[in-house]
Amino acid sequence: MIDFGYFALCLALLTSGYALLSSLAGGRSGRLALVRSAENAMLATCLLLTLAVCVLWHALLTHNFQVRFVAENSNLAMPLFYTITSLWGGQAGSLLFWGWILSLYIAAVVLFYRHRYRELMPYAVSVMAASSFFFCILHLFSADPFVTLPFKPEDGRGLNPLLQQPLMAIHPPLLYLGMIGMVVPFAFAMAALGSGHLDSTWLRPARRWMLIPWAFLGAGLLLGGKWAYVELGWGGYWAWDPVENASFLPWLTGTAFIHSVMVQERRGMLRVWNLSLVVSTFALTILGTFITRSGVLQSAHAFVESQIGPWFLTFFALIVIVSLGLIAWRGDELRAPGRIDSPISREGAFLANNVVFAGFAFVVLLGTIFPLIVEAIDGRTISVGNPYFDQMTMPIGFTLLFLMAVAPILPWRKASGDVLSDRLIWPAWLGVGSMVFAAVVGARGWAPMLAFGLGGFAG
């Protein structure tokens, strides 16, 4: 049975590689038959990875401890629920789960857009196929889930006790659905650059497919905070743990894109900025996966140290180089015809919103990777703690709350003083009332008071 799983991975490597090449060839030559063949190859990849996942699940449920992954992540005493969820409790199984979800996203895009966006689909399929091909390489050459032991133990080691918690069983799949799905808007952005169709056509599928993983990622972050509060006893829901930050970063840039894409659709502006946000979001998911799985940073959430890090760093570098090269190549065509008429306008507020989100992402990224930079330069091991993040992100959070209140009521192009006073006077008084209420119920200090006030203002 295990051989069937390994053989399915081998075939998935071939079909995804074929889809990558044939979709590119079909897009360049205009041959629809080649493009259709590539799309069918990705559907076949999805079926093959589904078979591989089912084989590994079968090994877990039948307690086949001769499979090393089963012996390391399950035992006879584990309840059925945690035996099932142990699939993503270890490195090899979770990567297989990752590759499977990626194939499901690709299959959904292929089936939904069978007769739409035909100028973009060849290049979008090639980008998604390249990502699937990369993960198939990992499955076979770096994190094979079907490695067997020379003997069959009577029992396994069992799942990490910290992971045997209902929230933790749901939290990782939601994060995977969020982070993996970012490949779809990235693929359409690259398709626009590769095909030269740089109008707003690519924005429609990119925005829709950004909203889906963005919602999953947000839900996963919330559940992860609850798990950390209940299980780790941090005394809070968020401790700026490196792996938490790795999941938070693409959510920040994805949120910025969801806002700024409206400006491009309405006014035709921020073209390069939107492309950069999509690229950053997908690249940050790969960088975050490297942080989580390479063992380079200590975290309660991270996997053990492994040799998988160089693979992800190479893939990350390839994404950045190719994307920036395509943006530079199409630079003249990406010049926006419009401009912001007034900073006190909806597009001005959206631009300010994006700058704040980008600054937020930079602050979190710097605090997360700074220990890596120091260790690489002089070998010292340091950590960046909560004081840095709290001090740097608090004003950013207040600014975002203020923009949440002001931006939706601003008109496009330009707002007059009368419009602002008419539309903001009652929200401002509600903000003051929120501060008074916070003081009555026991809030102390300027930061909680201001947060309640701005929250009421935005609400």
Side-chain angles (χ1 to χ4, degrees):
M1 188 72 176
I2 295 301
D3 292 337
F4 281 109
Y6 185 81
F7 185 59
L9 290 180
C10 294
L11 289 179
L13 179 70
L14 295 176
T15 53
S16 58
Y18 169 77
L20 166 61
L21 297 175
S22 59
S23 57
L24 276 178
R28 299 303 297 173
S29 64
R31 295 174 60 185
L32 180 61
L34 271 178
V35 179
R36 291 294 190 205
S37 178
E39 293 174 353
N40 292 334
M42 287 315 303
L43 294 177
T45 302
C46 181
L47 291 175
L48 290 165
L49 290 173
T50 302
L51 174 61
V53 168
C54 290
V55 168
L56 189 56
W57 252 325
H58 179 269
L60 287 165
L61 293 172
T62 58
H63 303 296
N64 185 356
F65 296 122
Q66 192 163 4
V67 179
R68 188 171 70 186
F69 179 82
V70 177
E72 291 177 349
N73 296 281
S74 69
N75 59 25
L76 295 172
M78 280 172 51
L80 176 62
F81 178 70
Y82 295 119
T83 301
I84 295 172
T85 60
S86 62
L87 177 71
W88 49 84
Q91 181 82 282
S94 65
L95 279 173
L96 178 60
F97 189 60
W98 184 293
W100 178 50
I101 292 177
L102 172 62
S103 73
L104 292 175
Y105 267 112
I106 299 172
V109 172
V110 167
L111 293 174
F112 280 132
Y113 297 141
R114 200 73 170 169
H115 303 290
R116 299 180 64 189
Y117 306 114
R118 296 320 307 172
E119 299 86 0
L120 299 175
M121 280 300 288
Y123 300 95
V125 170
S126 67
V127 172
M128 292 185 288
S131 185
S132 185
F133 182 72
F134 167 75
F135 277 94
C136 286
I137 290 176
L138 290 182
H139 301 330
L140 289 170
F141 302 110
S142 186
D144 183 0
F146 299 113
V147 172
T148 56
L149 299 171
F151 61 96
K152 186 175 182 179
E154 295 184 1
D155 201 356
R157 185 187 305 169
L159 192 64
N160 186 333
L162 288 176
L163 305 182
Q164 296 187 44
Q165 209 267 355
L167 288 174
M168 197 55 184
I170 304 170
H171 160 67
L174 286 176
L175 285 185
Y176 291 176
L177 285 165
M179 296 184 73
I180 297 165
M182 299 302 182
V183 71
V184 181
F186 172 76
F188 278 104
M190 293 299 98
L193 289 169
S195 65
H197 292 274
L198 297 171
D199 55 12
S200 61
T201 303
W202 74 273
L203 292 175
R204 290 190 287 273
R207 181 185 61 190
R208 291 166 186 162
W209 287 94
M210 178 67 81
L211 282 168
I212 295 169
W214 175 84
F216 279 125
L217 186 55
L221 289 169
L222 291 174
L223 282 181
K226 178 65 174 177
W227 168 77
Y229 182 79
V230 171
E231 194 70 22
L232 296 183
W234 279 344
Y237 295 95
W238 196 264
W240 300 108
D241 181 85
V243 176
E244 290 179 328
N245 297 346
S247 304
F248 188 40
L249 284 166
W251 186 89
L252 288 171
T253 53
T255 306
F257 172 76
I258 290 170
H259 285 80
S260 65
V261 71
M262 289 184 272
V263 179
Q264 184 173 344
E265 288 182 322
R266 184 68 179 254
R267 300 290 311 278
M269 302 183 322
L270 305 182
R271 292 181 177 182
V272 175
W273 178 254
N274 282 324
L275 287 167
S276 301
L277 285 176
V278 173
V279 171
S280 300
T281 301
F282 181 61
L284 285 171
T285 64
I286 300 303
L287 181 64
T289 309
F290 162 75
I291 292 172
T292 308
R293 298 176 180 277
S294 62
V296 295
L297 288 174
Q298 295 299 314
S299 165
H301 306 65
F303 291 86
V304 295
E305 187 172 354
S306 69
Q307 300 301 315
I308 211 168
W311 292 91
F312 278 104
L313 275 183
T314 302
F315 191 44
F316 172 78
L318 188 64
I319 290 167
V320 173
I321 292 170
V322 172
S323 302
L324 293 181
L326 285 173
I327 292 174
W329 178 43
R330 300 288 189 184
D332 292 338
E333 302 170 61
L334 288 171
R335 289 177 180 171
R339 65 182 182 86
I340 294 178
D341 298 322
S342 170
I344 307 176
S345 61
R346 185 167 297 187
E347 54 267 46
F350 276 139
L351 181 59
N353 165 289
N354 268 235
V355 171
V356 174
F357 269 113
F360 203 157
F362 176 77
V363 166
V364 176
L365 178 63
L366 180 63
T368 305
I369 66 171
F370 187 72
L372 291 178
I373 297 173
V374 171
E375 186 174 0
I377 293 175
D378 64 6
R380 288 187 298 126
T381 301
I382 68 168
S383 63
V384 177
N386 288 12
Y388 161 80
F389 289 105
D390 292 341
Q391 185 175 1
M392 296 295 292
T393 60
M394 195 179 296
I396 295 174
F398 289 144
T399 305
L400 285 174
L401 278 173
F402 177 76
L403 289 172
M404 284 174 63
V406 174
I409 60 93
L410 291 174
W412 294 98
R413 295 187 181 274
K414 189 175 182 180
S416 66
D418 293 339
V419 169
L420 288 178
S421 61
D422 289 344
R423 295 182 179 182
L424 290 178
I425 183 66
W426 285 109
W429 278 111
L430 286 171
V432 174
S434 299
M435 294 177 70
V436 173
F437 174 78
V440 170
V441 298
R444 295 293 181 268
W446 69 269
M449 297 288 289
L450 182 57
F452 271 97
L454 288 173
F457 185 39

